[in-house]
Amino acid sequence: MKNSALSFQPLLAALVLCLASSAAAQEYRMWTDKTSGKQIEAAYVSANAATREVTIANKAGQQFTLAVSRLNDADIEFIRQQLNPTPAPAGTPPAPATSPTAPGTPPAPAKKGKAAPAPVGPPAPPPPAYKIIPAKGFKGPVGAEFIRAVPKTRPRLIHNAATWASLKERAGTDPILAKMIETIKKGGEDLLAKPELNKIFGAEKVRGGAEGAQAMSRMATFGVLNFIDGDPKWKERAVREIIALTDKVTFPNWAPEEMDLCADFTVGVALGYDWFKDGMNAAQQATAKEYLVQKGMEALAAKLEGRPVPETALTKMAGTVDDKTKKPAAKPVEKDPKLPPTKAEVTAASALIIAAFCLADEDPAAAKAAAGAVDKVFSRGVAAFAPGGIWHDGMTDGDEVLDSIAMVLQTMRVSGGGDFNLGYLEGMPQAGLARLHLTGPRGLFNYGDADASGLKHTWVSTWLAGLHGNLGMKATTGSGQPGASSAFFGTAGHVMYYNPWAGGDGAAAAFDAVFPGAEVAALRSAWDDPAAAYVALKGGDNELLATQLDLGSFVLDLGGVRWAEELGTEAQRVGGYDPNPADRTKRHNFYLAGTRGQNTLVIGADDIEVPKKDPKADPNKKPPAPPLTGNQKLDAKGTITGFNSTPERGVAIVDITDAYSTKARSVQRGAMVMRGATPGIVLQDDIALKGTSTVEWRMHTKATIAAAGNKATLTSGNQILTATLVSPPGASFSTEEPPEPPTEQARDLKAYHVLQVKLPDAKGEQRITVAFSMGAEAPATPVIPLTQWVVKK
């Protein structure tokens, strides 16, 4: 049976693009899971070369994806017959590559002007055939459904024995994969000379710097080397790491009060237990299981369900005492079911599913309890990417969420009998496109609390490409050599999720894109050109707890420099900055979270508003700081209302009226990229005020600014950008510096400067038009209403 399963892989790989056929046109037959003996009557739909899976559909039209290695010989022979096409005559050219139509995917414009460089590596295969599952009405798996078909064999997390063997075989013929494995091996050799992980007590760390994330990195590194290189030293060291992570002195607990940190420990040890159990003695296995259940699964389940964390998860460091008065158990926290899950909740739910898969056969009760605690959190987390493929709190939080989702769906696809079509749920096929378009020549569009440096979990793009094809990313090269402080999967993740689509260069279908739901648009003049013009702007929803008041904010790249910068987030654990549903005012008094700290409009900041006195207020108590005037409304929403992409230009318009509705009848912001030999960018705001107000146009930059009248020169290194204030007549640029600590903020913003246009006592209709160019003069920019920017079809 093993030989039959393995021989199926090269047959699929040779075909590259899997053949799909209609279930209605095929015979219904019984498919048999050789592990459990369970059968299902269904018709063949398609097969996938990258994951070695077959998709079938029952008579009710429901589709299921099964790992080929789990099927019996008769099923595999049947699949062979379906995948036996008549060879094309010699010399027949290949069919043109096509991309599936997905919401948020604009039509591909003809690439006139500056052509994008040709791909460096071999082209990726055409995307695999799949069907996007609408999010509306979708009911994902809940509870024990996640672990309905866990095999009794190991390994079974992320890969099983057959898929590890397939990767090892491919490494012998694929130079890209082989090079990444060599990089991992060098890092593994360095790790052997370093000590095992040891908890640093009292150190407050962000997630990526904590030991749980480092445990995930080490397990991934040693796992790849164990299954592909095969030297026993990798298993021996991995077991030592597990022993350290489950030692009552070294790690008496796994940070149970913080879901994301605890989740990382749980995933790291679950992977280690699954992959290296045969290298552990009985006592070590028992201790690892005890930790997984008590320090990980029970703690995470309690947090998700709003219960107090069990005492067994709260073990203190040896030699310390808890001098705090024990508080009574808190009542379960009831969350608004309409709100999407948080990043930490999805991370915790994913860890629970991984741990439940790990222990399903050895501790069924613990596995069932863990899966039950997940309830609908995981499925709702996947659905939260609909419709445009962007997580509601921004791209970097979505990057972490997708990493957690990938682990679970990959595990379910290779070991659980299919992923319930979650990998094709609306939003997932668009996620790769969003990652592509919202990364400009000089970095990520880091709106909200996002980090400015870019997407860090790059292996997520590799995984997405295996499901939906390469929509334009370059052939994956990994994330560098793992080290002692490396976090998460890194290059090992690229290896574990490796597939033909990620191994070849992709070509993007369009320069411009708009993503509904998140209400974000991105426009550019060229791909694979670090000097290309790029602008991305957003609408969105200020009511989301972790948001900044940034409707209309934008970033701008030109000539190899990011000129308009998003400031990102505050320093960690600054009092009052964390989202608080009971009082959001304090958070948005922070410059970084309020409207003044964004690249958008501030309307009415100088308007005189006398607060009403509270007759019941204590005269001896200092009143709370009033909210900063000029902030956008906390419940405002902005919508992309116009989008057009032609060979000459890309245009996007966002309606942000709701953010300023107390002061204005209408506020529209438009962005335009003009392509060609000398690309340029235009930002325009069409405003209709209700009365008289101050209007400020603001842009944060690290460049030095020299402003004179309607011209501003921005200098960064040897690059110079010219900003021209085309309208209104008589207006001029000015500059301002962000506030310095100590104020309400902790971050030092002295590296940034503010380019602004201030219209005092503005009334009626106003139009602010700013053009950007790398030349001394701005391109000819006729001042016309935004309603005329979009070409009517």
Side-chain angles (χ1 to χ4, degrees):
M1 181 63 194
K2 181 178 179 181
N3 292 336
S4 298
L6 291 176
S7 63
F8 180 66
Q9 193 275 337
L11 174 61
L12 284 178
L15 293 174
V16 182
L17 179 61
C18 303
L19 302 178
S21 59
S22 169
Q26 294 290 327
E27 64 175 303
Y28 286 92
R29 59 188 305 280
M30 298 304 295
W31 300 78
T32 303
D33 184 325
K34 68 177 182 181
T35 304
S36 65
K38 294 182 179 179
Q39 293 185 315
I40 181 173
E41 185 177 12
Y44 169 84
V45 175
S46 65
N48 187 302
T51 59
R52 299 180 62 250
E53 297 169 324
V54 62
T55 299
I56 59 177
N58 64 17
K59 292 183 178 180
Q62 295 175 301
Q63 291 193 359
F64 305 90
T65 301
L66 309 175
V68 172
S69 60
R70 295 176 62 90
L71 300 176
N72 64 20
D73 292 325
D75 292 334
I76 293 177
E77 181 57 35
F78 178 83
I79 296 170
R80 287 182 191 277
Q81 296 173 9
Q82 308 309 307
L83 295 173
N84 188 23
T86 303
T92 301
T98 58
S99 296
T101 301
T105 307
K111 297 184 178 180
K112 294 183 180 179
K114 187 173 182 179
V120 176
Y130 64 90
K131 180 181 179 181
I132 296 176
I133 308 300
K136 186 177 181 180
F138 179 81
K139 294 182 179 180
V142 295
E145 291 177 335
F146 283 103
I147 52 174
R148 62 179 181 176
V150 179
K152 294 183 178 180
T153 55
R154 297 188 188 276
R156 58 181 178 237
L157 297 183
I158 298 182
H159 278 292
N160 57 32
T163 55
W164 276 121
S166 177
L167 271 177
K168 183 175 182 179
E169 180 183 357
R170 181 182 290 274
T173 58
D174 189 320
I176 295 176
L177 181 58
K179 185 175 180 179
M180 286 194 290
I181 292 170
E182 280 302 309
T183 299
I184 297 171
K185 190 172 182 179
K186 291 177 181 177
E189 294 287 355
D190 290 345
L191 280 173
L192 293 179
K194 301 291 192 304
E196 294 80 22
L197 284 168
N198 182 32
K199 186 173 179 63
I200 301 175
F201 290 91
E204 291 189 346
K205 296 180 179 180
V206 296
R207 183 185 177 202
E211 294 86 358
Q214 295 170 15
M216 290 175 64
S217 173
R218 295 190 181 197
M219 291 305 165
T221 296
F222 295 133
V224 166
L225 294 174
N226 174 64
F227 290 110
I228 297 180
D229 177 69
D231 193 310
K233 65 185 178 183
W234 308 121
K235 180 181 293 186
E236 187 274 335
R237 176 52 189 268
V239 169
R240 284 163 48 196
E241 294 285 353
I242 298 170
I243 294 170
L245 290 164
T246 57
D247 183 88
K248 288 182 172 61
V249 175
T250 308
F251 285 95
N253 64 66
W254 285 348
E257 294 293 349
E258 300 191 51
M259 282 194 289
D260 49 2
L261 301 187
C262 186
D264 293 341
F265 280 108
T266 303
V267 170
V269 174
L271 292 177
Y273 187 85
D274 181 60
W275 294 346
F276 306 112
K277 179 186 175 184
D278 58 354
M280 304 163 66
N281 62 36
Q284 292 163 351
Q285 292 174 17
T287 300
K289 283 194 294 184
E290 178 184 283
Y291 257 70
L292 271 175
V293 173
Q294 294 184 356
K295 313 297 185 186
M297 298 161 76
E298 291 179 352
L300 291 173
K303 295 293 287 185
L304 278 184
E305 294 174 344
R307 297 182 286 104
V309 173
E311 288 296 323
T312 51
L314 295 169
T315 310
K316 304 295 186 295
M317 181 182 181
T320 64
V321 294
D322 187 356
D323 58 358
K324 296 181 181 179
T325 302
K326 189 172 182 180
K327 298 179 180 179
K331 293 182 178 180
V333 178
E334 293 187 7
K335 182 180 176 181
D336 185 349
K338 295 180 182 179
L339 290 176
T342 65
K343 175 186 71 173
E345 287 171 338
V346 179
T347 301
S350 300
L352 282 169
I353 297 170
I354 289 293
F357 250 86
C358 180
L359 297 182
D361 53 335
E362 297 183 21
D363 195 337
K368 186 176 180 180
V374 169
D375 193 28
K376 298 180 181 179
V377 171
F378 183 83
S379 297
R380 287 176 57 230
V382 178
F385 283 87
I390 296 178
W391 183 251
H392 49 273
D393 285 335
M395 293 299 292
T396 54
D397 276 7
D399 193 30
E400 293 187 38
V401 173
L402 281 170
D403 193 8
S404 296
I405 289 173
M407 286 187 286
V408 172
L409 297 192
Q410 176 77 4
T411 296
M412 292 171 66
R413 291 169 72 85
V414 302
S415 298
D419 67 358
F420 297 89
N421 278 323
L422 286 167
Y424 303 119
L425 183 63
E426 182 183 6
M428 285 291 102
Q430 292 85 355
L433 195 69
R435 294 167 71 84
L436 186 70
H437 279 277
L438 266 63
T439 301
R442 304 306 301 171
L444 183 70
F445 182 19
N446 58 309
Y447 60 85
D449 276 347
D451 186 277
S453 60
L455 298 174
K456 297 178 180 178
H457 300 237
T458 54
W459 52 94
V460 169
S461 292
T462 295
W463 176 74
L464 287 168
L467 289 180
H468 316 120
N470 189 325
L471 303 180
M473 62 185 245
K474 305 292 289 183
T476 183
T477 56
S479 307
Q481 181 176 310
S485 60
S486 294
F488 307 112
F489 286 167
T491 299
H494 287 283
V495 171
M496 290 189 293
Y497 297 140
Y498 194 75
N499 59 81
W501 293 276
D505 285 343
F511 290 129
D512 316 309
V514 61
F515 298 94
E519 302 302 319
V520 179
L523 319 168
R524 70 182 71 217
S525 63
W527 288 102
D528 303 318
D529 181 359
Y534 176 81
V535 63
L537 78 165
K538 71 177 293 288
D541 187 353
N542 281 353
E543 198 165 14
L544 296 170
L545 294 182
T547 191
Q548 297 180 357
L549 303 182
D550 60 358
L551 304 189
S553 196
F554 69 96
V555 293
L556 186 154
D557 298 349
L558 194 59
V561 175
R562 172 146 292 181
W563 301 100
E565 300 258 7
E566 272 280 348
L567 300 182
T569 189
E570 251 296 354
Q572 285 291 316
R573 307 179 193 278
V574 176
Y577 186 79
D578 288 341
N580 183 351
D583 180 14
R584 298 178 61 200
T585 301
K586 189 170 184 179
R587 170 181 170 85
H588 296 298
N589 273 352
F590 282 74
Y591 185 82
L592 286 162
T595 304
R596 294 190 64 81
Q598 318 303 322
N599 298 332
T600 191
L601 297 170
V602 176
I603 300 179
D606 292 344
D607 296 356
I608 298 176
E609 297 180 4
V610 180
K612 295 180 180 180
K613 293 184 178 180
D614 183 359
K616 298 181 181 180
D618 184 349
N620 298 317
K621 186 177 181 181
K622 185 178 179 180
L628 295 179
T629 56
N631 267 351
Q632 295 176 351
K633 291 170 57 180
L634 296 182
D635 60 351
K637 296 174 177 58
T639 306
I640 302 292
T641 56
F643 176 77
N644 190 243
S645 183
T646 69
E648 294 77 25
R649 63 182 58 87
V651 169
I653 300 171
V654 59
D655 184 341
I656 50 177
T657 304
D658 197 25
Y660 309 98
S661 60
T662 59
K663 300 289 182 179
R665 295 191 306 274
S666 175
V667 182
Q668 312 287 323
R669 164 159 284 191
M672 178 189 299
V673 165
M674 293 170 286
R675 298 185 258 270
T678 55
I681 295 173
V682 178
L683 268 292
Q684 181 168 300
D685 296 295
D686 285 0
I687 308 165
L689 297 168
K690 291 180 177 179
T692 301
S693 289
T694 300
V695 177
E696 298 175 59
W697 182 102
R698 298 173 67 81
M699 184 185 101
H700 293 77
T701 183
K702 287 184 178 179
T704 57
I705 308 171
N710 73 333
K711 289 286 182 72
T713 302
L714 282 68
T715 304
S716 177
N718 61 356
Q719 295 290 78
I720 297 175
L721 177 77
T722 299
T724 303
L725 181 56
V726 184
S727 72
S732 60
F733 283 118
S734 59
T735 62
E736 184 180 282
E737 300 303 310
E740 297 180 3
T743 57
E744 79 288 342
Q745 71 195 43
R747 266 188 60 193
D748 190 338
L749 303 175
K750 64 184 179 182
Y752 296 92
H753 315 283
V754 180
L755 176 66
Q756 66 178 3
V757 178
K758 196 166 185 177
L759 306 180
D761 301 324
K763 62 179 64 176
E765 295 187 356
Q766 300 289 331
R767 178 167 294 126
I768 303 174
T769 308
V770 182
F772 300 90
S773 172
M774 295 303 294
E777 297 293 331
T781 307
V783 179
I784 58 176
L786 290 175
T787 54
Q788 299 178 26
W789 276 29
V790 176
V791 178
K792 295 182 179 180
K793 297 182 179 179

